[in-house]
Amino acid sequence: SRELLPSWDRNADAYAFSPSGNAIYLTTVDASRTKLYRITRTSSGWTTSPQLLTSGGNNVSPSVSSDGKTIAWLQDATERPAEVYVATVGPPGLSGVHRLTHENDALLAQLKLNPVEDFWFKGADGDSVQGMILRPPQYQAGKKFPVLFLIHGGPQGEWLDQWHGRWNFELFASPGFGIVAINPRGSFGYGQKFTDQISRDWGGKAYTDLMNGLDAALARNSWLDSTRMGAAGGSYGGYMTNWLAGHSNRFKALFTHAGVYNLENMYGATEEIWFGDWEFGGPYWDRNAMDSVYRRWSPHLFAGNFHTPHLVVVGELDYRVPYTEGLSLFTALQRQGVPSRLIDFPDEGHWIGKPQNQRLWWGEALGWFRKYLSP
């Protein structure tokens, strides 16, 4: 075996082979979009620089025809669910790109859905970091709207320009909220160094990236109301929401879903035992890891600073971030008289998947932010 692309600083998230074996189609994340690339085999060997084939949208699940002349894939975006696209394959790339299916046109025609707007700003290292803004369906020029700041999980992950089944930007925007979503340190799509910089530094440069991105979004969009802001996140996004609770008074309301609260407790309770060793530098009984990570970046150590109204959601079947993390957070909020609410799903895990439970989840989340962010 050998590595075909040693200098390509991206993951091959999925791939498909041409029937002849002379081409490999790759999908990978690049700046909030999953893009389709191709490498080809010539008489002198494999090409070492992947050829970009798609120009927009979020592109996944490539499939090549038996004669190698046609490729099909799924493409979606924040404002539209996935549909099948097809194109003719040739040496220059793809031609005749068109959408084959229109399954959701009638439903989409009933909704007011805006596309995301990309922006770039200076991150913690003075580098370029990317974020997205979504205008609510009620948007009117000259009018201000509350801000909902969304933080993705992982921490190695990303916000995509994607129609998401759970953290759906359009649904979060539906009450009249402007959405700001940042891809901070730790995100995919910017190279391995950028992704690795989150490890052992959970509340450090990523927090700076997030705050810089929020400030940049507010400075460039006067319609975003900085006096009415909320923040929400799940998993690591929940961790960062908990971190915000102890380090910022900028927000009127917070929402943590399946969020890490106590790093020491999390280490011994998660089913991903390797994860704590990698992210925190070892177990909590390692003195170096304790001093440099556990006692530095754990949100529970800053519980005395909690003042912001906080919604906490847990699933009792969550073995990734055990639901006791949320119970501990809720107890700290309640004992200090901070307005807070706990939603406990006994039949859900790290993600809320059952349709009836999802309806409850969305009702509670949007209701919480309506209460604290609406005029």
Side-chain angles (χ1 to χ4, degrees):
S1 64
R2 63 190 187 279
E3 185 177 1
L4 292 182
L5 302 171
S7 61
W8 195 47
D9 197 14
R10 293 291 186 275
N11 293 324
D13 295 329
Y15 48 86
F17 292 90
S18 68
S20 66
N22 289 326
I24 304 175
Y25 297 89
L26 307 168
T27 59
T28 191
V29 175
D30 181 68
S32 297
R33 274 86 182 172
T34 302
K35 299 178 180 180
L36 182 61
Y37 294 81
R38 177 178 62 179
I39 58 173
T40 55
R41 183 169 56 186
T42 65
S43 57
S44 58
W46 288 93
T47 54
T48 57
S49 297
Q51 177 187 15
L52 177 62
L53 298 178
T54 56
S55 59
N58 188 62
N59 305 274
V60 297
S61 303
S63 178
V64 186
S65 64
S66 58
D67 61 7
K69 296 180 179 179
T70 305
I71 187 170
W73 69 98
L74 296 175
Q75 184 185 104
D76 68 341
T78 299
E79 75 279 14
R80 49 189 171 88
E83 299 282 1
V84 179
Y85 281 68
V86 295
T88 300
V89 176
L94 304 183
S95 61
V97 177
H98 65 281
R99 195 173 82 173
L100 184 67
T101 63
H102 297 266
E103 295 298 317
N104 296 292
D105 287 1
L107 290 172
L108 292 176
Q110 303 174 36
L111 303 173
K112 172 64 175 176
L113 303 172
N114 293 314
V116 292
E117 305 166 27
D118 288 24
F119 70 100
W120 292 81
F121 61 92
K122 185 176 292 187
D125 279 346
D127 46 1
S128 293
V129 181
Q130 181 261 356
M132 294 178 286
I133 294 172
L134 179 67
R135 298 172 190 261
Q138 301 89 344
Y139 175 79
Q140 296 177 14
K143 184 178 179 181
K144 282 187 173 289
F145 293 86
V147 179
L148 192 50
F149 189 45
L150 301 181
I151 307 168
H152 73 65
Q156 295 83 1
E158 74 289 304
W159 286 130
L160 292 169
D161 179 12
Q162 175 190 29
W163 181 273
H164 199 288
R166 289 292 296 118
W167 287 74
N168 187 291
F169 291 174
E170 301 285 359
L171 196 46
F172 271 119
S174 63
F177 302 148
I179 304 301
V180 178
I182 307 297
N183 280 317
R185 212 87 11 189
S187 300
F188 295 141
Y190 309 91
Q192 195 61 42
K193 178 183 177 181
F194 191 85
T195 302
D196 289 343
Q197 285 181 326
I198 188 69
S199 299
R200 308 185 191 184
D201 189 43
W202 273 26
K205 290 181 179 179
Y207 176 77
T208 301
D209 286 346
L210 289 165
M211 292 298 99
N212 287 1
L214 179 58
D215 288 339
L218 295 172
R220 300 174 196 180
N221 297 270
S222 59
W223 60 272
L224 294 173
D225 188 348
S226 63
T227 68
R228 291 184 292 154
M229 297 197 299
S235 197
Y236 172 81
Y239 161 90
M240 183 54 73
T241 304
N242 298 340
W243 187 257
L244 290 176
H247 290 83
S248 176
N249 293 318
R250 303 182 68 177
F251 302 96
K252 298 290 187 184
L254 301 171
F255 166 34
T256 291
H257 170 86
V260 180
Y261 177 65
N262 183 328
L263 298 190
E264 296 166 55
N265 207 50
M266 167 74 177
Y267 177 88
T270 179
E271 102 282 21
E272 278 191 332
I273 299 297
W274 65 271
F275 183 80
D277 289 334
W278 179 266
E279 289 299 311
F280 308 147
Y284 55 83
W285 55 85
D286 181 291
R287 183 60 182 268
N288 289 331
M290 174 61 83
D291 292 344
S292 62
V293 179
Y294 289 95
R295 293 278 104 182
R296 185 180 183 186
W297 299 126
S298 188
H300 86 286
L301 299 175
F302 303 91
N305 298 332
F306 290 174
H307 300 288
T308 307
H310 206 140
L311 173 66
V312 182
V313 175
V314 297
E316 290 191 30
L317 302 182
D318 188 349
Y319 308 117
R320 184 66 43 84
V321 179
Y323 79 105
T324 49
E325 292 291 291
L327 299 187
S328 297
L329 167 63
F330 182 63
T331 296
L333 293 163
Q334 288 281 296
R335 287 294 303 274
Q336 298 181 89
V338 179
S340 47
R341 182 166 169 81
L342 174 70
I343 311 298
D344 179 354
F345 291 93
D347 58 343
E348 295 282 7
H350 198 51
W351 299 273
I352 307 303
K354 297 179 180 178
Q356 186 171 350
N357 288 343
Q358 287 193 3
R359 290 180 65 92
L360 176 59
W361 189 94
W362 279 109
E364 292 290 341
L366 297 182
W368 187 255
F369 286 117
R370 282 192 186 100
K371 178 178 179 179
Y372 289 102
L373 302 186
S374 296

